Amino acid sequence: MTLTVTLEGVCKSFAGKTVLEGVDIAVPASSSLVVLGGSGSGKSVMLKCILGLITPDAGRILIDGRDVAAMSRRERAALMDRIGMLFQNGALFDSLPVWENVCFKLLAQKRITRRGARDKAAEVLAQVGLAASVGDLSPAELSGG
């Protein structure tokens, strides 16, 4: 289920301020990459370009060798089903327990039953070293770390 991600000459500017200029990165499947930089250096912009939330001004972004910009809406949706994004700030629904937050998209699209969602959430929580019981907590009961 791992993906290769390649950026070729990616550029992005906002109101005349260049945020990304000629970014070239290749991340092979099953690899990790850490991007470090100060506030405003373009880390989030780069990720948003990879996810297709922002369109680069120039360059190409390839996922598994396919140009993200050339994908149809359906192809992009299928790709996004395979990608997750972890926000740097709290982005959970406070009124829902953790398990519902974890499976929110699946539940909203009616692609899973509530019972199935609880089981899936327990599976996902286990993948990051958390007990299934964490799923019953509210977001406010989670550690920020």
Side-chain angles (χ1 to χ4, degrees), residues 87-119:
F87 296 90
Q88 65 190 34
N89 296 322
L92 299 177
F93 297 109
D94 292 333
S95 61
L96 301 178
V98 169
W99 74 267
E100 283 188 69
N101 272 283
V102 169
C103 290
F104 183 82
K105 180 178 179 182
L106 296 173
L107 287 164
Q109 294 178 342
K110 299 185 186 323
R111 292 170 47 189
I112 196 168
T113 64
R114 290 183 65 77
R115 171 78 181 153
R118 285 185 77 94
D119 293 343

Side-chain angles (χ1 to χ4, degrees), residues 7 20 23 25 35 42-51:
L7 282 70
L20 301 175
V23 176
I25 295 175
V35 179
K43 303 176 302 291
S44 294
V45 170
M46 182 181 70
L47 288 173
K48 288 176 182 178
C49 286
I50 292 168
L51 294 172

